[in-house]
Amino acid sequence: MLGKKLVTAQKRGETRALCLGLGMVVCSMMMYFFIGITIVPFYTKSVWTTETMCKVLKVSIKDQAPCPKSDGSEDEDVFPYPCLQVRVNLTASGQEVMLYATEDTLDLNPKCSYVPDKSEKEAKAKIEKIASNFKSHQTVSCYYNPGGTQTNVIHSRLYPPKGLLFVFLWPTLMFTGGCLIIFLVKISQYVSVLSAWQ
C-alpha cells in the first residue's frame, strides 16, 4: 500500500516537473518570437555600425521652437525645447557632420542633436548640461555608416551588439533550464523502469 502511494506521488512529481520544463520551453519560444519582431528589426535597420572617434568642432543651442515628436503628431505632442546642435569632424573621412544622440533623434527632429522626452520637466537644464559635456571633451566616440548612405553620425546606438546578446540571454537560459528539467525527468523515468524490470 505504501509502495503504491510512493509510486503515485513520484508520478505526480514527474508530471509537474515535465509541465514546468515544457512551460519554460514554450515561454522562452514566445520570448524569442517577441524579441524577433520588436528589437531585432531595429538592430538590423540601423546603418550606423562602425565605431570611431569624432572631434567636436561646434556646440550651439538655438532658440526654443516647437518641434514635433514625430511625423503627423497631434498638438499635444508638440512642445518647445532648446535645439542643441553639435557639429563634429568624422576622423574616418575628415568631413564635418552633424552628431545625433541615437538613431531615433534623426527621425524625430533632424535639426537638433538631442530631443528630450515630453515627460522631462527640466529639459532646458539637461540640454545645457549635455552641451557643456560636449564642450569639455574635444573628442567623443561616435558611430558612422561605412556604406555612405548616411553622412550624419550618432553618439550611441539604441541596440548595440552587446545589448542584443543580453536580451537573448534570459530566454536562452530559460530554454536551457526547461530542456534540462525534461531531460532529468526522462532519465529518472528510464532508471525507474530499468530498476523495476531488474
Side-chain angles (χ1 to χ4, degrees), residues 61-68 78-84 109 111-112 116:
I61 298 177
K62 302 296 182 182
D63 294 335
Q64 285 191 353
C67 299
V78 179
F79 68 103
Y81 59 88
C83 184
L84 172 67
N109 188 357
K111 294 180 180 179
C112 302

Side-chain angles (χ1 to χ4, degrees), residues 2 25 45 48 55 65 82-83 116:
L2 184 61
V25 169
K45 190 176 74 171
W48 295 275
K55 184 179 179 182
C83 184

Side-chain angles (χ1 to χ4, degrees), residues 6 20 27 33 38-40 64 67 72 79 83 91 98 102 104 116 123 126 128 135 137 151 156-157 159 165 183 195:
L6 286 172
L20 174 65
C27 285
F33 177 74
T38 56
I39 297 177
V40 173
Q64 285 191 353
C67 299
F79 68 103
C83 184
T91 54
M98 183 86 159
T102 61
D104 286 349
K126 186 168 184 180
E128 288 176 353
K135 287 176 182 176
H137 294 89
T151 55
S156 59
R157 296 183 68 183
Y159 302 103
L165 289 175
F183 176 75
S195 62

Side-chain angles (χ1 to χ4, degrees), residues 11-46:
K11 285 184 178 179
R12 284 179 184 168
E14 289 174 351
T15 304
R16 289 173 182 170
L18 276 174
C19 288
L20 174 65
L22 287 172
M24 290 173 69
V25 169
V26 170
C27 285
S28 65
M29 289 297 178
M30 290 173 64
M31 289 171 71
Y32 278 129
F33 177 74
F34 181 74
I35 292 168
I37 63 172
T38 56
I39 297 177
V40 173
F42 287 112
Y43 174 77
T44 55
K45 190 176 74 171
S46 178

